[in-house]
């Protein structure tokens, strides 16, 4: 959370100081990289103080990995699936900023600022999905009860995001720092906030409640079939204005949410029980 606030603060400062748009993009990008590195270092020290990591533990884990290479490969595959979304978002946002900057440095600065603002809100709210999934796993209730828990999480998240969308609109009116964000961009940002309970929150829920790869098809289809070609078309036609970039990003998020909602809602514990649950459901269906 601290790193997110620092990145948002830097984005606001560079706009207030009136630095060149290209310098603003560079400052936001550098701050993001530094915050990520420092965050990893701080978490490492915290785990070390809590005796959760140490050199003896690292040595023991290495010996265990060498003794069971197949299990290590399988575990690495699961962890890779869990981090694919971060890679997809990183590539998408980087491409969006580059295409906008090629159109004009001012558009690049606007896209960088809006991405920083949106991520500062959406990334922490993914914990709504994580907490909801852990509740389902802990209770191990019936499918209808699990669906009700998920709906409660999404409803609470929607109310919070609606309030944030209103605050964003008021900020555009009252704070000079947001003057560079056009009203169309602000409107598209607000719409994306309102669909996040069925996008980012639902995706994080399924990663915990079902499996790390549960939402990957929707992610790959939406960002591979909409964001990629859309940004490429804007780059080729040199029409990558901030408004056009955000239209592509919003359309991608809408398709992503639709695909996630369209996928049958199956709530069952993760891990080995998940595979047994699939087998039981297939037997029941036959």
């Amino acid at each position: 959370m601290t790193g997110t606030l620092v990145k948002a603060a830097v984005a606001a400062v560079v706009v207030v100081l009136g630095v060149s748009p290209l310098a603003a993009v560079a400052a936001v990008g550098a701050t993001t990289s530094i915050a990520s590195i420092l965050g990893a270092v701080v978490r490492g020290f915290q785990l070390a103080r809590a005796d959760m990591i140490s050199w003896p533990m690292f040595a023991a884990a290495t010996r265990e990995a060498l003794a069971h290479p197949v299990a290590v490969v399988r575990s690495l595959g699961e962890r890779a699936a869990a981090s694919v979304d971060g890679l997809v978002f990183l590539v998408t946002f980087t491409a969006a900023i580059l295409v906008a900057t090629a159109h004009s440095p001012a558009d690049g600065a606007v896209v960088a600022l809006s991405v920083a603002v949106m991520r500062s809100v959406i990334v922490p709210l993914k914990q709504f999905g994580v907490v909801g999934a852990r509740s389902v796993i802990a209770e191990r209730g019936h499918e209808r009860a699990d669906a009700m828990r998920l709906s409660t999480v999404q409803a609470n998240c929607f109310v919070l995001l609606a309030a944030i969308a209103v605050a964003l609109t008021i900020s555009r009116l009252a704070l000079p720092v947001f003057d560079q964000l056009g009203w169309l961009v602000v409107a598209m940002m607000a719409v994306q906030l309102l669909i996040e309970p069925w996008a980012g929150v639902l995706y994080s829920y399924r990663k915990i409640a079902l499996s790390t790869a549960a939402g990957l098809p929707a992610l790959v289809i939406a960002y591979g079939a909409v964001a990629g070609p859309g940004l490429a078309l804007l780059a080729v036609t040199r029409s990558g204005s901030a408004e056009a970039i955000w239209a592509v990003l919003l359309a991608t998020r809408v398709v992503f949410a639709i695909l996630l909602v369209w996928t049958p809602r199956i709530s069952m514990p993760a891990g080995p029980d998940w595979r047994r649950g699939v087998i039981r459901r297939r037997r029941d269906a036959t």
Side-chain angles (χ1 to χ4, degrees):
M1 178 65 73
T2 301
T4 301
L5 292 176
V6 169
K7 289 182 284 187
V10 170
V13 168
V14 295
V15 174
V16 170
L17 294 179
V19 300
S20 67
L22 188 58
V25 173
V28 172
T31 302
T32 300
S33 300
I34 294 173
S36 299
I37 295 173
L38 292 179
V41 172
V42 170
R43 283 192 293 271
F45 279 115
Q46 291 174 340
L47 292 174
R49 286 198 300 269
D51 292 329
M52 297 182 67
I53 59 172
S54 63
W55 284 113
M57 293 173 61
F58 178 78
T62 302
R63 290 192 298 269
E64 184 71 16
L66 294 176
H68 303 88
V70 176
V72 171
V73 172
R74 185 181 298 113
S75 177
L76 289 176
E78 293 176 354
R79 282 157 177 75
S83 59
V84 167
D85 57 333
L87 178 61
V88 170
F89 297 145
L90 174 63
V91 172
T92 300
F93 294 143
T94 301
I97 294 173
L98 290 176
V99 173
T101 304
H103 183 264
S104 77
D107 285 304
V110 169
V111 172
L113 175 60
S114 55
V115 166
V117 171
M118 292 294 285
R119 287 186 60 79
S120 67
V121 174
I122 293 173
V123 172
L125 285 177
K126 288 182 179 180
Q127 291 303 313
F128 275 78
V130 173
V131 172
R134 288 174 178 170
S135 173
V136 167
I137 294 174
E139 296 292 336
R140 296 176 181 265
H142 298 293
E143 183 175 346
R144 178 172 297 180
D146 295 342
M148 288 182 63
R149 292 191 190 95
L150 173 58
S151 298
T152 300
V153 169
Q154 290 174 316
N156 293 336
C157 189
F158 178 82
V159 172
L160 178 59
L161 287 169
I164 295 175
V166 172
L168 176 64
T169 304
I170 295 174
S171 298
R172 175 60 179 82
L173 288 169
L175 299 179
V177 67
F178 290 108
D179 283 347
Q180 293 191 26
L181 298 181
W183 278 111
L184 182 56
V185 172
V186 172
M188 288 188 287
M189 292 169 65
V191 171
Q192 181 176 336
L193 287 174
L194 295 179
I195 67 172
E196 279 306 305
W198 298 271
V201 173
L202 182 57
Y203 181 80
S204 60
Y205 170 89
R206 288 188 173 172
K207 284 178 65 174
I208 303 299
L210 303 182
S211 73
T212 54
L216 286 184
L219 181 75
V220 172
I221 292 174
Y223 283 83
V226 180
L231 293 175
L233 179 63
L234 293 179
V236 171
T237 59
R238 299 183 180 276
S239 54
S241 64
E243 290 78 9
I245 294 291
W246 262 106
V248 171
L249 295 179
L250 177 59
T252 302
R253 206 63 174 175
V254 169
V255 172
F256 179 51
I258 291 174
L259 290 174
L260 284 176
V261 173
W262 177 75
T263 304
R265 292 187 177 185
I266 303 175
S267 299
M268 52 184 112
D273 290 340
W274 173 75
R275 300 181 187 278
R276 289 197 291 270
V278 173
I279 294 173
R280 285 197 301 270
R281 287 174 182 273
R282 288 177 178 173
R283 287 176 180 173
D284 293 342
T286 58

